[in-house]
Amino acid sequence: MARVQFSLEKDPAALVGLLREIQYLADSEKVALGFWPEEALREAITRRRLFAMLAQVGSKREVAGYLHYSGVFPHAKIQQVAVLSRYRKSGVASGLLNSLVSELERAGFLTIKAEVASDLTTAMSFYQKNDFEVVRTRPGGQVRNRTITVCERQLETDSLFTAMSSDEGHDIDLGIRRRSAGESPFFAFDLNIFFDLVRDRSNSANARRLFGAALAHEIRLAVAAEFVSELQRTTVDPTVDPILQMAMRLPRLPNQDQTELNSLADRIHELVFVKPRSRGAGSTQALSDAHHLAHAALARASAFVTRDGAILFARSNLLSMIGIDVATLDELVALLPGDISEGQEATIQGHGFECRRLSGADLAHYLKSTNAAEAVIREFDGDSEIDSESRRDAIFENEKIVAVGAIRIPKGMEPVARLLVHVRPENVDRDMFADYLLDRLTRFACRDLAATVELVHLPGQSTVDSLAKSRGFLRGASHRDLVKIALGRPLTASNWTSAIREIRRRTGLILPNEALVANAERDELAVTTRSGKTFSIVPGRLEDILSPAIIIWRGRSGVIVPIKRPYADDLLGTSEQSTFSFIMNRDAAFLSRRAYVSSPRTANLMRPESPIVFYESSGRNGRGAAVAAARIVDAVIVGKKEVPSDGLRRLVVDDVDEFSGSDDVLLTTFDNLLVLPKPVPWKSLKELNAVGKANLVTAVSLSSEQITQIFDYGWSCDRTT
């Protein structure tokens, strides 16, 4: 069956040509909407207060619905929303309304109102679903003796009022630090790191990578005055020592007050060498190391790079008591952005639409058609520059762009990725397209390392903003853009220390050093932002902010479930081969929240907020391995013939009969999907006692320790763990 293609028509000349169809639809809804003569509709078209949604199936094109509104700035009122009966429940009415909302928000309107008769329950449900709230009731006309309910929706408009009002997320300000190219994070390093560069050592490759990043302006490197002094003390002839001559030309840390420097060096020496009773305490080398660290701390270096055992052993105390981070060369190099190697990426297709890469010129043309600000267009339409990497995607319907997404990621150790997503507000699939682009590009930002992602606010894109908030984006207190931190992998007791160091060094968000403990879902964590503000947050909410991510605290049990290879490929995206361009993906492949269908007998294991691990069965060329994990949102038992349309959309099956021997099935909705880089084979799962008595023919409960071990295996090839 051909897919209906919908398009919005706002041109008055075209609408006048369709007036007969519009009038017919208006007359068919007299009971609900009242009588509207042709001249009234014509005047509304002329004043640009009426627009229509057109439906096209093959060569046939007709008016599927229209919306008529009025009002005086800054308050609008809906007069009519009418849809032909055969196109109801197709998203036409919501598309018309969302298009109006987008237009009004861009124009600065504050509210939109609708009046609904008490007996029109379907209409009332429609407005409530679209965020209208009842503000009052009034008597209707004497002829019908109906009560009229007045509903109102507050618009997401850039105005003095919204700037002054409190907003969800204002209590958590991630405190983005904005730097110019000359303000890249800088790191101090000791002589051992320098010798790794100038001599042939086991760490020389990483040293060259570090200094190469400095030459590429991704980071800055500097040395303390003590660095050169130490070399001068050991050289035989300063005039002919090439290593000393090279060291003297290295960038220096800013000069500090000598009294303050000596005082801090004494404290560091006591903390690092004296208290632990180090054999080197009091030696010239120990005192020199203390001066290195003191100078770096006073100069507010991002970290001090060393492989000295005593200093590394004391780094937790140095960070908490002195405020200086200490890192190894390997740790620092692991935080540098890698080269992009995406290979040949197939065009991803759905039914009636496809997603493919977009050129900068085409993106600029699209954004100009939406009246986007010139500054936004300039930011995202250029090709990837030396100091940044970029990606642009678009959703096409009949070769017409209906949604775009673009991201620009500055190269460096503390990048703030700038993200843009825009969808045609009238499109019936706008939620799915916005969800897909937000997910796709956020995952691109954190494909190797944690990253801060900032979503650019575009007027009239409340659909995008709303979906972003549900994905863990937060509103900053000082601007309209939304911000989140994307981790892109699990966070467990095993990798907690390395992961929180990466998060702190890459994004500035400071998590507590202690690994998660039992009952953490009820305990709050103290988290400090880059700007120095500390707030308390439950791990589940932190999981949203770090998404895509799954946090496994001790005591957080979950479940492992079987899934057949064909379903896994589409539902989880775990296929080992790129999807062929002629294969149509189901809608579930474009949604961040998807559904798994199984027998109701497993309902007690599918607990909301619990982790779920997917085991790809070995039958029909399956791999016989755990391939992905996610977080359960909810699990409901429904009759096989009563599966809601939204539930079916999130599945990748046409018929749910085979999944249960009874008349019911269990629909488990999940989000935060993570594909394991290294599938965990059945043999390893059996060694973990994770296969159950039936060898994973059905769902099996997992402890937090078992899930942690599965993740440890599945991410063992990840360079950051």
Side-chain angles (χ1 to χ4, degrees):
M1 181 178 178
R3 185 175 187 267
V4 180
Q5 296 287 341
F6 295 103
S7 61
L8 196 68
E9 184 57 76
K10 289 189 173 183
D11 179 52
L15 290 169
V16 168
L18 299 168
L19 186 55
R20 180 174 296 180
E21 291 184 57
I22 295 172
Q23 183 69 58
Y24 170 80
L25 181 52
D27 290 343
S28 67
E29 297 293 330
K30 285 181 182 178
V31 175
L33 305 177
F35 175 71
W36 285 87
E38 179 182 324
E39 284 306 311
L41 296 174
R42 186 185 297 273
E43 181 184 359
I45 290 172
T46 303
R47 296 179 59 200
R48 296 182 180 273
R49 293 299 180 95
L50 187 151
F51 51 90
M53 188 78 79
L54 306 184
Q56 184 161 348
V57 182
S59 60
K60 183 182 178 182
R61 193 170 188 234
E62 63 180 342
V63 173
Y66 72 90
L67 186 148
H68 173 200
Y69 74 99
S70 61
V72 177
F73 183 83
H75 306 289
K77 178 182 178 182
I78 295 175
Q79 297 289 356
Q80 299 173 285
V81 180
V83 179
L84 282 175
S85 58
R86 58 180 166 275
Y87 294 118
R88 289 171 188 167
K89 296 186 178 180
S90 296
V92 172
S94 293
L96 288 164
L97 176 59
N98 201 64
S99 178
L100 174 62
V101 167
S102 178
E103 182 178 305
L104 294 176
E105 286 178 345
R106 288 199 305 270
F109 277 69
L110 299 179
T111 65
I112 182 171
K113 181 173 67 175
E115 296 186 348
V116 186
S118 57
D119 57 329
L120 300 179
T121 56
T122 301
M124 191 69 230
S125 176
F126 165 75
Y127 285 113
Q128 289 177 336
K129 185 181 72 173
N130 283 280
D131 300 324
F132 282 74
E133 297 181 354
V134 175
V135 293
R136 66 178 185 277
T137 60
R138 64 172 178 81
Q142 295 181 354
V143 176
R144 298 185 185 178
N145 194 29
R146 299 191 293 186
T147 299
I148 303 299
T149 302
V150 181
C151 305
E152 190 173 86
R153 173 173 169 174
Q154 301 293 321
L155 300 178
E156 295 281 341
T157 301
D158 295 324
S159 68
L160 175 63
F161 301 103
T162 55
M164 293 174 61
S165 65
S166 61
D167 197 353
E168 179 185 357
H170 276 182
D171 57 326
I172 303 176
D173 180 5
L174 295 182
I176 289 180
R177 182 190 303 168
R178 302 181 184 280
R179 290 189 173 102
S180 66
E183 296 176 325
S184 301
F186 76 91
F187 300 86
F189 57 95
D190 66 8
L191 277 172
N192 275 322
I193 305 302
F194 182 59
F195 289 146
D196 286 337
L197 175 70
V198 298
R199 296 173 180 172
D200 188 14
R201 292 181 167 189
S202 59
N203 285 324
S204 291
N206 276 342
R208 289 191 290 270
R209 174 73 179 92
L210 183 69
F211 281 82
L215 292 173
H217 306 292
E218 295 176 12
I219 61 172
R220 290 180 293 161
L221 296 175
V223 296
E226 180 64 26
F227 181 98
V228 176
S229 298
E230 187 175 341
L231 274 176
Q232 289 174 331
R233 285 196 300 268
T234 57
T235 187
V236 176
D237 186 349
T239 61
V240 295
D241 188 337
I243 293 179
L244 175 61
Q245 295 300 317
M246 179 179 177
M248 293 179 67
R249 288 168 173 76
L250 292 173
R252 302 285 186 93
L253 294 173
N255 291 329
Q256 303 295 323
D257 178 81
Q258 196 62 40
T259 301
E260 186 178 10
L261 178 62
N262 291 336
S263 175
L264 183 58
D266 290 342
R267 286 180 58 199
I268 291 174
H269 179 259
E270 178 78 13
L271 181 66
V272 175
F273 299 101
V274 176
K275 283 188 176 181
R277 297 182 179 180
S278 171
R279 287 187 300 175
S283 66
T284 301
Q285 185 63 55
L287 294 172
S288 177
D289 289 342
H291 271 85
H292 276 280
L293 276 164
H295 200 167
L298 291 174
R300 299 185 183 278
S302 298
F304 182 75
V305 190
T306 183
R307 51 188 174 87
D308 184 280
I311 297 175
L312 290 170
F313 182 78
R315 61 180 172 181
S316 293
N317 288 333
L318 285 167
L319 181 62
S320 61
M321 300 175 67
I322 308 299
I324 179 67
D325 188 13
V326 177
T328 67
L329 179 59
D330 292 348
E331 288 173 340
L332 201 61
V333 169
L335 299 179
L336 293 171
D339 296 328
I340 299 179
S341 180
E342 296 182 272
Q344 293 294 322
E345 184 177 275
T347 297
I348 302 174
Q349 293 192 337
H351 290 276
F353 63 89
E354 64 181 25
C355 178
R356 59 178 187 255
R357 302 294 282 271
L358 192 67
S359 70
D362 287 340
L363 175 66
H365 179 74
Y366 172 88
L367 291 176
K368 287 177 182 177
S369 73
T370 67
N371 298 315
E374 283 295 328
V376 172
I377 297 174
R378 287 196 302 271
E379 180 177 3
F380 290 95
D381 69 352
D383 292 328
S384 181
E385 301 173 359
I386 295 176
D387 63 342
S388 67
E389 28 184 271
S390 61
R391 179 188 178 109
R392 294 177 292 268
D393 293 303
I395 307 287
F396 291 81
E397 285 185 347
N398 288 336
E399 292 305 312
K400 178 184 177 183
I401 299 176
V402 295
V404 298
I407 193 165
R408 184 174 178 272
I409 310 172
K411 291 184 178 179
M413 199 159 296
E414 299 178 351
V416 176
R418 293 274 287 170
L419 171 63
L420 174 147
V421 175
H422 185 285
V423 295
R424 294 286 185 189
E426 73 276 6
N427 193 280
V428 296
D429 290 317
R430 62 192 172 279
D431 286 9
M432 179 172 68
F433 296 157
D435 187 32
Y436 177 68
L437 291 170
L438 283 168
D439 184 67
R440 181 182 179 95
L441 294 174
T442 299
R443 289 175 184 272
F444 177 77
C446 66
R447 65 199 182 281
D448 292 323
L449 297 163
T452 303
V453 183
E454 185 176 37
L455 176 65
V456 176
H457 170 70
L458 296 176
Q461 288 290 296
S462 54
T463 294
V464 174
D465 285 356
S466 177
L467 284 168
K469 289 177 183 178
S470 72
R471 297 183 59 80
F473 280 83
L474 304 170
R475 179 86 71 197
S478 59
H479 53 85
R480 296 300 306 272
D481 294 343
L482 297 171
V483 184
K484 82 178 311 295
I485 291 169
L487 180 59
R489 63 182 185 276
L491 191 55
T492 70
S494 299
N495 71 354
W496 179 263
T497 300
S498 61
I500 66 170
R501 284 176 184 157
E502 176 191 322
I503 292 170
R504 182 183 71 241
R505 292 164 179 166
R506 291 275 295 178
T507 72
L509 193 70
I510 302 174
L511 303 181
N513 289 325
E514 296 79 12
L516 295 171
V517 297
N519 299 320
E521 69 271 19
R522 295 192 297 271
D523 297 335
E524 292 188 340
L525 299 174
V527 178
T528 303
T529 68
R530 188 193 299 276
S531 58
K533 295 181 180 178
T534 299
F535 60 89
S536 296
I537 188 171
V538 295
R541 182 57 176 148
L542 178 63
E543 194 172 57
D544 291 332
I545 295 173
L546 297 179
S547 65
I550 299 176
I551 302 177
I552 304 300
W553 53 82
R554 294 192 183 101
R556 190 186 194 190
S557 58
V559 63
I560 183 169
V561 298
I563 185 170
K564 294 180 181 178
R565 175 67 179 270
Y567 301 147
D569 286 350
D570 212 357
L571 184 67
L572 308 176
T574 52
S575 174
E576 294 176 290
Q577 296 179 332
S578 299
T579 303
F580 293 109
S581 60
F582 57 82
I583 294 179
M584 298 291 183
N585 292 93
R586 294 175 181 268
D587 285 356
F590 296 88
L591 296 169
S592 63
R593 183 170 289 187
R594 307 174 189 180
Y596 170 83
V597 59
S598 61
S599 168
R601 289 178 297 176
T602 61
N604 64 316
L605 300 179
M606 306 295 193
R607 296 184 302 276
E609 303 301 320
S610 297
I612 180 171
V613 178
F614 294 96
Y615 169 78
E616 184 183 289
S617 305
S618 58
R620 296 181 62 182
N621 298 319
R623 280 173 283 180
V627 295
R631 179 181 63 179
I632 296 175
V633 176
D634 60 45
V636 295
I637 298 175
V638 297
K640 290 180 177 178
K641 297 181 180 180
E642 299 168 356
V643 178
S645 58
D646 183 64
L648 284 172
R649 192 183 198 194
R650 299 181 188 278
L651 295 169
V652 291
V653 299
D654 294 316
D655 191 347
V656 298
D657 278 346
E658 68 173 285
F659 294 92
S660 168
S662 67
D663 293 332
D664 299 324
V665 291
L666 179 68
L667 294 183
T668 302
T669 306
F670 61 89
D671 65 2
N672 258 356
L673 178 65
L674 295 174
V675 175
L676 276 64
K678 183 179 178 182
V680 185
W682 186 87
K683 181 180 178 181
S684 297
L685 294 172
K686 185 173 177 61
E687 291 173 354
L688 297 176
N689 294 318
V691 300
K693 295 180 180 179
N695 292 330
L696 281 174
V697 173
T698 186
V700 176
S701 178
L702 295 177
S703 67
S704 60
E705 290 78 13
Q706 288 172 310
I707 300 173
T708 295
Q709 289 174 305
I710 289 172
F711 284 160
D712 288 346
Y713 186 105
W715 263 266
S716 61
C717 58
D718 185 356
R719 68 172 185 160
T720 60
T721 57

